[in-house]
């Protein structure tokens, strides 16, 4: 079962280390981790995408909550959240292939952000599955490099994540 | 120097060098009520020592930093107060790591102060630099590195609060040299800004009333309930409440190693310790129970054995202040998160009385039929005999600390502490070298009580250098070395599980009585029961510290024993299996 943990943490040195260390020490899995400043100064929002069964996820949340620098943690199921990841893909693109690639990129609402002689950089935003699909469609053209940010997320509607 | 002279000299010296970060630290420690620090000076903590010079805080100068931290642990476990330890940077700080891990495992409240190289040198592989925060992150409840001396009062306040509240544990404060040495302008109020900023820390004291009600109903329905109690009872200070609760409900009680002393050992409801070396009846009772009421425990593997065979037919209730303990190892049907004493008090408001008198009398009969036992041998001193003599001489009134191994289990079996904080042992981490310095700390915390360290010949050698500390300060610790010339527990496992291949478990030691004498401490030696009897009497009546070397049988094993991977109902009692 995949869950997204949205946490508000103190924006202080060592916080990332504490959280990552806890996951390592207790043998929990991290699929992706993003961190950036939150709405309040001095606080950061960290989003961790993890997998495990019900009991394991409950333990993860409780152990994370014990860290003094973690202000709040919520676990969000797939359906209740807006989850987005930014992806940059550098793909081989000879002149004839470009229009084809354009045709692939458009329905994904991705955009071409850099054009060189024989390559393009495409920027895509979406959930992980959508980005995965785009990668597969572009693979035949020759993927040179991929950089993905990992998922960041908020709960849908009025509820707040912290 | 009189205390007035001290104060005057101190004030003059402070005026000459200016008010520094170190002074702010010492003032903050005093605000927290600190009267004793265990420590060792070095380059990076010199300004802290400068501030401690002539202060009225009692500084115990140890001979190894590990002795300091176990001393602080013993002090804390005996008194219930936060233990304080101070080291320098680098190797001084890394020598504390074992003690920090030990305190974390056994939930002992400590504030660990480590010197650090100056901020400008951090990250540059400076002389005696170590990333102590990084090294200790997984074994501390929280940690700080102070970068501005003005933060010291707030950080110290938060550290003590975090260490002693909720589930207690060690908190580390790393103090760079320039921070403790910085001269601060006089006349400012550095303490007005010590308001705590720990929004992410809200330990839950008050349990959910509905959870308590659910448990109350479950207890009423139970036919074979048992109370499984541990160190949390001592941390919470609710030994009287658990005793009242057991007596009013007539539910039998078993304790973990960490919980010994929290329930009266001679109460007919008490079945002794459970687990790998638990009593036959305690383990049987847990196995057959239909409702296991766990209070302030953590379902440790040395208690549970093979999890699938741990109390397989019981519903389980767990009362604990740490929500992460609920369901960590064993599924719990009745969780009650909060202070265990508060939860018991709520249960006592309307005591659920189960119909379990048949169960209780069955267990009591079993307990009488299968007591702890060993065989005496004429002319040879058995280790258990020494512990029985200690019990007889003290009546369980003394504070006993232990090292780790067979002697620790025999102490748990035969010494019967009458109240909490009288049995101090390294339970979770199993740290050899813990007991002797812990005894030193306990004796400083409780100068009016007899303090005995039950040690093994191998464990004692791990921090034997503290003999100098107890000699200098005349700390009247009585060390009982149960000397079998072996790493006894290792030898036992090799005998039972490794085909008697005794690899490296035979271990030599010095003449401990002579070693003691070399340090100026009274040394005694006993090789048979009469000598042992006399030595126990002499040691306990001696005013100062003493080491007694009890030369005991080599091959004695600790029984009962649940072999690793077995269920708690499958016990070896002496040389035969229970079933």
């Amino acid at each position: 079962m995949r869950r997204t943990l949205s946490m508000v943490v103190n924006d202080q040195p060592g916080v990332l280390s504490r959280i990552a260390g806890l996951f390592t020490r207790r043998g929990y899995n991290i699929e992706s981790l993003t961190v950036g400043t939150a709405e309040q100064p001095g606080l950061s929002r960290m989003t961790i995408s993890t997998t495990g069964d019900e009991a394991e996820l409950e333990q993860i949340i409780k152990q994370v909550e014990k860290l003094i620098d973690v202000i709040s943690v919520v676990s969000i199921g797939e359906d209740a959240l807006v989850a987005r990841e930014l992806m940059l893909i550098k793909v081989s693109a000879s002149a004839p292939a470009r229009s084809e690639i354009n045709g692939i990129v458009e329905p994904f609402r991705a955009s071409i952000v850099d054009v060189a002689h024989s390559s393009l950089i495409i920027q895509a935003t979406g959930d992980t599955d959508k980005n995965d699909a785009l990668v597969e469609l572009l693979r035949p053209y020759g993927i040179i490099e991929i950089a993905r940010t990992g998922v960041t997320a908020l709960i849908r509607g009025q509820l707040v994540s912290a | 120097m009189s205390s007035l002279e001290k104060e005057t000299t101190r004030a003059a010296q402070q005026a000459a060098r200016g008010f520094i970060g170190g002074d702010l630290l010492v003032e903050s420690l005093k605000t927290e009520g600190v009267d004793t620090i265990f420590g060792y000076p070095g380059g990076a903590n010199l300004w802290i020592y400068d501030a401690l010079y002539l202060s009225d805080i009692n500084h115990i100068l140890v001979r190894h930093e590990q002795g300091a931290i176990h001393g602080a642990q013993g002090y804390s476990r005996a008194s219930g107060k936060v233990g304080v330890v101070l080291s320098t940077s680098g190797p001084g700080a890394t020598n504390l790591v074992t003690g920090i891990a030990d305190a974390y495992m056994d939930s002992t409240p400590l504030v660990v102060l480590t010197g650090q190289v100056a901020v400008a040198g951090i990250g540059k592989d400076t002389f005696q630099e170590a990333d102590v925060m990084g090294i200790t992150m997984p074994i501390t409840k929280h940690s700080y590195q102070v970068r501005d001396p003005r933060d010291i009062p707030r950080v110290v306040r938060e550290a003590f609060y975090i260490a002693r509240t909720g589930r207690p544990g060690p908190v580390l404060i790393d103090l760079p040299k320039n921070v403790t040495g910085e001269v601060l302008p006089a006349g400012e109020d550095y303490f007005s800004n010590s308001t705590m900023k720990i929004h992410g820390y809200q330990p839950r004291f008050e349990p959910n009333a509905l959870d308590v009600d659910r448990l109350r109903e479950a207890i009423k329905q139970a036919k074979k309930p048992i109370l499984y109690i541990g160190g949390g009872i001592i941390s919470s200070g609710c030994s009287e409440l658990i005793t009242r609760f057991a007596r009013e409900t007539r539910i039998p009680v078993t304790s973990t190693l960490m919980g010994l002393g929290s329930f009266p050992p001679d109460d007919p409801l008490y079945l002794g310790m459970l687990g790998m070396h638990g009593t036959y009846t305690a383990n049987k009772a847990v196995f057959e129970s239909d409702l296991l009421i766990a209070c302030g425990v953590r379902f440790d593997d040395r208690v549970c054995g093979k999890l699938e065979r741990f109390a397989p037919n019981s519903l389980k209730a767990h009362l604990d202040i740490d929500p992460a303990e609920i369901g960590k190892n064993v599924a719990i049907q009745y969780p009650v998160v909060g202070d265990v004493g508060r939860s018991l008090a709520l249960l006592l408001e309307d005591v659920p009385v189960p119909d379990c008198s048949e169960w209780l009398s069955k267990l009591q009969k079993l307990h009488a039929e299968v007591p702890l036992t060993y065989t005496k041998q004429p002319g040879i001193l058995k280790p258990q005999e020494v512990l029985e003599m200690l019990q007889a001489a003290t009546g369980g009134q003394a504070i006993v600390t232990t090292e780790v191994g067979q002697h620790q289990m025999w102490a748990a079996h035969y010494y019967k502490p009458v109240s909490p904080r009288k049995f101090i042992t390294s339970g979770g981490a199993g740290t050899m070298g813990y007991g002797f310095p812990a005894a030193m700390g306990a004796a400083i915390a409780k100068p009016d009580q007899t303090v005995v360290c039950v040690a093994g010949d191998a464990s004692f050698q791990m921090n034997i250098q503290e003999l100098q500390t107890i000699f200098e300060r005349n700390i009247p610790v009585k060390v009982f070395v149960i000397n079998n010339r072996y790493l006894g527990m290792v030898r036992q496992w090799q005998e039972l599980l490794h085909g008697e291949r005794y690899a490296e478990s035979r271990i030599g030691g010095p003449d401990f009585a002579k070693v003691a004498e070399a340090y100026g401490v009274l040394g005694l030696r006993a090789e048979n029961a009469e000598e042992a009897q006399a030595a126990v009497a002499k040691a306990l009546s001696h005013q100062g510290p003493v080491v007694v070397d009890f030369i005991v049988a080599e091959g004695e094993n600790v029984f009962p024993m649940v072999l690793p991977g077995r269920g708690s109902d499958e016990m070896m009692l002496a040389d035969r299996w229970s079933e």
Side-chain angles (χ1 to χ4, degrees):
Chain A
M1 183 167 60
R2 180 188 292 165
R3 296 291 282 191
T4 302
L5 303 183
S6 175
M7 23 186 139
V8 175
V9 303
N10 283 328
D11 179 12
Q12 262 175 15
V15 174
L16 178 61
S17 192
R18 281 180 209 280
I19 292 167
L22 173 67
F23 274 73
T24 313
R25 142 143 163 69
R26 300 224 179 240
Y28 307 146
N29 179 38
I30 296 183
E31 285 200 340
S32 78
L33 184 156
T34 63
V35 60
T37 51
E39 59 280 1
Q40 218 179 308
L43 298 180
S44 299
R45 180 174 303 278
M46 195 179 285
T47 310
I48 293 182
S49 175
T50 185
T51 52
D53 59 28
E54 195 81 45
E56 197 177 6
L57 287 166
E58 191 185 318
Q59 259 299 300
I60 294 176
I61 292 168
K62 285 171 167 178
Q63 293 292 351
V64 169
E65 273 177 338
K66 274 172 74 167
L67 296 173
I68 312 289
D69 279 330
V70 173
I71 310 296
S72 67
V73 196
V74 286
S75 160
I76 319 171
E78 300 285 302
D79 46 342
L81 86 171
V82 176
R84 292 292 180 269
E85 175 191 46
L86 172 70
M87 175 171 72
L88 297 172
I89 318 172
K90 190 183 286 177
V91 64
S92 302
S94 55
R98 283 191 188 163
S99 60
E100 266 181 60
I101 292 174
N102 239 330
I104 292 171
V105 163
E106 208 161 304
F108 278 86
R109 297 194 186 178
S111 51
I112 295 166
V113 292
D114 182 66
V115 181
H117 269 297
S118 55
S119 68
L120 297 172
I121 297 178
I122 296 152
Q123 171 189 308
T125 323
D127 59 33
T128 309
D129 291 347
K130 177 183 148 187
N131 286 346
D132 286 346
L134 179 57
V135 170
E136 286 317 307
L137 288 171
L138 290 171
R139 203 176 288 284
Y141 298 93
I143 290 169
I144 302 166
E145 279 183 308
I146 298 180
R148 298 171 77 150
T149 59
V151 175
T152 191
L154 286 178
I155 299 183
R156 289 184 185 278
Q158 297 271 338
L159 283 172
V160 289
S161 312
Chain B
M1 219 185 286
S2 75
S3 62
L4 183 65
E5 282 170 326
K6 261 190 186 175
E7 212 174 294
T8 321
T9 318
R10 197 173 134 75
Q13 282 169 346
Q14 213 178 70
R17 66 150 156 71
F19 185 73
I20 57 171
D23 292 319
L24 210 45
L25 176 68
V26 171
E27 289 309 311
S28 305
L29 293 173
K30 282 195 202 159
T31 308
E32 294 299 326
V34 174
D35 53 19
T36 307
I37 293 180
F38 298 82
Y40 205 96
N45 66 11
L46 272 175
W47 287 117
I48 304 175
Y49 274 92
D50 207 306
L52 277 171
Y53 187 56
L54 299 181
S55 89
D56 47 14
I57 291 180
N58 182 17
H59 179 271
I60 307 296
L61 175 65
V62 294
R63 290 304 180 275
H64 188 293
E65 286 88 353
Q66 194 182 354
I69 189 154
H70 294 326
Q73 288 179 273
Y75 177 92
S76 171
R77 293 270 292 276
S79 66
K81 293 197 280 188
V82 178
V84 183
V85 53
L86 168 59
S87 81
T88 191
S89 63
T94 57
N95 277 345
L96 299 177
V97 169
T98 302
I100 298 172
D102 191 288
Y104 190 65
M105 280 288 247
D106 283 348
S107 307
T108 309
L110 292 186
V111 168
V112 178
L113 306 166
T114 53
Q116 182 54 280
V117 301
V119 169
I122 291 177
K124 308 279 197 281
D125 301 324
T126 307
F127 177 67
Q128 290 194 332
E129 183 192 358
D131 174 14
V132 172
M133 267 215 3
I135 290 168
T136 60
M137 252 175 208
I139 50 170
T140 48
K141 192 170 170 185
H142 194 48
S143 50
Y144 295 88
Q145 186 177 69
V146 183
R147 294 288 182 119
D148 179 345
R150 287 160 191 81
D151 289 336
I152 289 175
R154 173 184 59 83
V155 166
V156 168
R157 197 167 158 213
E158 290 179 5
F160 275 82
Y161 178 72
I162 292 169
R164 72 170 177 261
T165 55
R167 177 178 180 174
V171 178
L172 181 135
I173 308 177
D174 200 29
L175 294 150
K177 187 169 185 179
N178 63 309
V179 172
T180 51
E182 186 175 328
V183 177
L184 299 161
E188 274 182 48
D189 177 9
Y190 295 102
F191 293 92
S192 59
N193 201 19
S194 66
T195 314
M196 296 196 288
K197 294 182 208 162
I198 34 177
H199 310 296
Y201 180 65
Q202 281 141 357
R204 186 154 133 203
F205 183 85
E206 191 67 25
N208 181 323
L210 292 174
D211 287 345
V212 175
D213 288 340
R214 280 187 67 232
L215 174 57
R216 181 180 284 117
E217 290 312 307
I219 293 172
K220 282 183 196 163
Q221 303 305 316
K223 295 278 180 286
K224 299 185 209 170
I226 181 151
L227 283 159
Y228 150 38
I229 68 174
I233 299 292
I234 298 174
S235 299
S236 161
C238 65
S239 158
E240 277 171 31
L241 284 172
I242 193 79
T243 307
R244 232 184 88 199
F245 183 74
R247 285 177 180 165
E248 290 188 23
T249 55
R250 306 298 297 155
I251 299 176
V253 179
T254 179
S255 169
T256 68
L257 180 69
M258 294 297 294
L260 295 178
S262 58
F263 193 79
D266 52 358
D267 192 293
L269 291 166
Y270 187 58
L271 305 177
M273 186 170 78
L274 80 167
M276 181 174 269
H277 293 294
T279 67
Y280 181 78
T281 313
N283 283 336
K284 275 284 177 201
V286 168
F287 187 80
E288 287 176 17
S289 65
D290 67 357
L291 178 67
L292 180 76
I293 310 164
C295 303
V297 296
R298 57 184 181 83
F299 293 85
D300 167 65
D301 58 294
R302 284 295 192 270
V303 160
C304 300
K306 191 177 185 177
L307 284 177
E308 303 85 75
R309 289 188 68 82
F310 180 70
N313 304 314
S314 77
L315 292 167
K316 294 174 186 76
H318 193 181
L319 293 71
D320 203 276
I321 199 153
D322 181 357
E325 282 303 329
I326 311 287
K328 188 182 74 179
N329 295 338
V330 169
I332 300 297
Q333 290 76 38
Y334 298 98
V336 182
V337 176
D339 176 74
V340 60
R342 180 67 188 137
S343 303
L344 289 169
L346 288 175
L347 282 171
L348 278 164
E349 284 178 6
D350 177 12
V351 191
V353 180
D355 172 17
C356 65
S357 54
E358 209 174 300
W359 163 247
L360 178 62
S361 47
K362 183 190 148 184
L363 293 174
Q364 285 170 332
K365 189 163 163 275
L366 196 60
H367 199 37
E369 282 168 9
V370 194
L372 290 167
T373 170
Y374 67 95
T375 315
K376 287 190 187 176
Q377 249 176 290
I380 292 173
L381 184 59
K382 285 295 180 83
Q384 297 95 327
E385 286 181 87
V386 179
L387 275 310
E388 285 190 319
M389 289 173 193
L390 174 63
Q391 170 62 25
T394 59
Q397 299 280 353
I399 295 176
V400 165
T401 75
T402 79
E403 297 285 352
V404 168
Q406 286 185 318
H407 67 274
Q408 179 186 30
M409 292 299 112
W410 286 317
H413 286 165
Y414 294 99
Y415 184 69
K416 299 182 163 59
V418 293
S419 56
R421 306 199 177 279
K422 287 197 186 299
F423 191 79
I424 298 172
T425 193
S426 170
T431 305
M432 290 171 69
Y434 171 90
F436 175 41
M440 172 178 88
I444 291 162
K446 298 284 173 188
D448 53 335
Q449 294 192 28
T450 302
V451 178
V452 179
C453 167
V454 176
D457 48 303
S459 293
F460 184 38
Q461 290 184 71
M462 285 210 178
N463 272 314
I464 198 166
Q465 75 286 342
E466 299 311 326
L467 279 171
Q468 182 63 25
T469 313
I470 62 167
F471 162 71
E472 270 176 17
R473 305 296 295 258
N474 195 29
I475 302 165
V477 169
K478 322 294 179 192
V479 184
F480 284 17
V481 184
I482 309 298
N483 186 349
N484 63 0
R485 284 80 68 205
Y486 269 105
L487 287 166
M489 193 57 94
V490 173
R491 196 206 55 74
Q492 177 168 345
W493 280 50
Q494 287 171 333
E495 181 186 329
L496 301 175
L497 301 160
H498 291 264
E500 301 185 33
R501 295 182 294 280
Y502 298 117
E504 303 296 325
S505 56
R506 176 143 200 116
I507 191 164
D511 180 329
F512 290 108
K514 278 191 185 161
V515 170
E517 296 288 345
Y519 276 103
V521 169
L522 177 64
L524 304 171
R525 183 181 165 97
E527 300 192 14
N528 55 47
E530 295 85 73
E531 286 177 16
Q533 197 64 263
V536 168
K538 185 164 182 193
L540 293 178
S541 61
H542 181 62
Q543 291 299 307
V546 52
V547 173
V548 192
D549 193 4
F550 293 96
I551 311 299
V552 300
E554 273 185 4
E556 194 71 12
N557 286 334
V558 180
F559 291 116
M561 181 175 186
V562 177
L563 293 180
R566 297 275 185 164
S568 64
D569 60 322
E570 305 168 284
M571 278 166 280
M572 270 186 98
L573 299 171
D575 295 321
R576 64 189 168 88
W577 289 87
S578 66
E579 310 252 288

